[in-house]
Amino acid sequence: DATDNRILISDQKVPPDALAQMYNIADCTINISDAEGFGLATLESLSSGTPIIVNMTGGLQEQVTDGEEWFGIGLEPASKSIIGSQEVPYIYEDRLNKKDFMDALRKMYNMSPEERKKLGDKGRQHVINNYNFVDFEKKWVDLMDSIHEKYGSWENRKDYKAWTFEEVA
């Protein structure tokens, strides 16, 4: 029960039904990762109608806004760097300013429940419009069909040259 203004933080794996309940009772979901690729938790939050506070990095940028509407609070990084290695050519590390983060928390906290609901409702519609399974499945099938049409099937691939390995003594 989190109705006594507590903030709950967990590092444990949570079953999907419990996650859905948590998203539905939360005022917002926070993801201020400095190197986030996409941010599934924030997408899940939005699909539950719960607004988000995010670092404007990676895929979080397109989750918090569609360029016109906002579905939470997006924080611009205070510093940006690119790191990498042979295995991972590059990844952005975007760090936030503590004051900016605290200001975002205060802004969300000071919103009325109606204002947070409005953000959450817009976020849910954004998820339905842009991340639904029907469209995803169609795009996936269309992609596979276009690859098959262009290159053929596994057995009769077009423009494919097989490699062979031979032992050299």
Side-chain angles (χ1 to χ4, degrees), residues 83-136:
I83 60 170
S85 67
Q86 292 293 344
E87 293 81 27
V88 181
Y90 68 89
I91 189 166
Y92 295 99
E93 273 196 352
D94 298 338
R95 310 277 178 162
L96 293 176
N97 174 289
K98 180 179 177 181
K99 181 186 178 313
D100 292 343
F101 175 62
M102 297 304 293
D103 289 347
L105 286 175
R106 280 187 203 91
K107 182 177 179 180
M108 187 67 75
Y109 178 80
N110 289 323
M111 284 182 189
S112 68
E114 294 78 22
E115 290 171 308
R116 282 192 299 271
K117 181 173 179 355
K118 185 176 178 181
L119 278 180
D121 288 347
K122 286 189 223 177
R124 178 164 167 67
Q125 193 58 52
H126 176 65
V127 172
I128 290 168
N129 292 344
N130 297 289
Y131 299 100
N132 67 74
F133 287 110
V134 172
D135 289 344
F136 178 79

Side-chain angles (χ1 to χ4, degrees), residues 149-153 156-163:
E149 184 178 309
K150 184 174 181 179
Y151 298 107
S153 67
N156 62 358
R157 290 173 280 176
K158 299 173 189 166
D159 301 324
Y160 175 76
K161 293 184 175 100
W163 288 67

Side-chain angles (χ1 to χ4, degrees), residues 1-2 8 10 12-26 29 41 44-45 48 50:
D1 181 12
L8 302 177
S10 173
Q12 303 299 308
K13 186 160 178 67
V14 179
D17 58 330
L19 268 178
Q21 290 174 352
M22 291 168 70
Y23 289 131
N24 280 295
I25 63 169
T29 297
E44 291 171 342
S45 177
S48 296
T50 302

Side-chain angles (χ1 to χ4, degrees), residues 48-67:
S48 296
T50 302
I52 57 178
I53 297 176
V54 298
N55 188 359
M56 294 291 279
T57 189
L60 297 174
Q61 298 172 84
E62 71 176 47
Q63 290 181 34
V64 74
T65 183
D66 62 6

